[in-house]
Amino acid sequence: MRRTILVVDDEELNRELLRQMFESDRYNVITAQDGREAMLKLNTYADDIVIVLLDLMMPVVDGHQVLKAMNEEGILDKIPAVMITADTDQRTELSCYELGASAVINKPFVAQIVRKRVINLIENSQNKGRLEDVLRYQSAKLSE
């Protein structure tokens, strides 16, 4: 089963670069050009998306706003978000983590590093989900 990655960036070139990095028989990549479109796609494909790669600076709805909405709606409990930004200010990075980002990647990025970091986050998130399922099952068995 192919897992879906949502790439959100207002720059078409960045969306395409990230698509090419991940599109394979293992991953399907869907894209959004701004935060509003990202939220629509998250609500539509929530069960299929395994990670969101989210640009910080975008018109309409920026990455901080999307991250805040994902956190408020409980989406970040199931789907990790990776912020992508050219801003190297540590305060910006800290604000992303405080809003629930799993990682921050600076532009310009190195494809091998981005790929490895994203794949690790996907695997960690899925392992966490499996462990939570096991704990729920064991808890239900104990309460019988």
Side-chain angles (χ1 to χ4, degrees), residues 125-136:
S125 176
Q126 291 179 331
N127 287 337
K128 177 186 169 209
R130 283 191 284 277
L131 286 172
E132 288 171 346
D133 290 345
V134 167
L135 289 173
R136 273 192 296 277

Side-chain angles (χ1 to χ4, degrees), residues 2 4 20 25 33 39-40 53 60-61 66 78 94 106 111 114 116-117 119-120 132 142-143:
R2 282 176 33 160
T4 300
Q20 288 177 12
D25 58 346
Q33 61 186 354
M39 291 308 297
L40 288 171
L53 306 180
V60 185
V61 177
V66 173
K78 298 175 187 152
L94 181 59
N106 293 94
V114 172
K116 188 65 176 166
R117 189 173 294 167
I119 290 168
N120 284 344
E132 288 171 346
L142 289 173
S143 62

